[in-house]
Amino acid sequence: MAALAWLLIPLFAVVGAAIWGGWASRSRTAGDVAELAGYARFRDAMEKAGSGSGQ
């Protein structure tokens, strides 16, 4: 029984590594597009706020 436990430990490590690897390599392009659009809106707002200062 102890030998079986020692064989299961690496098996669980491999399964955990496979799950983490799949999660880490997932596609995140949709989030990037939304973040870039938000940054563009932020820049536009800052330009409008800066132009009304009178300088």
Side-chain angles (χ1 to χ4, degrees):
M1 192 64 174
L4 181 61
W6 281 107
L7 290 174
L8 289 177
I9 292 171
L11 179 66
F12 286 137
V14 167
V15 170
I19 291 171
W20 179 84
W23 178 78
S25 67
R26 71 192 188 282
S27 176
R28 296 191 253 342
T29 57
D32 292 341
V33 172
E35 289 179 18
L36 289 173
Y39 179 66
R41 289 192 306 269
F42 172 76
R43 279 193 333 215
D44 291 341
M46 287 293 111
E47 287 175 3
K48 290 178 184 175
S51 65
S53 64
Q55 292 181 349

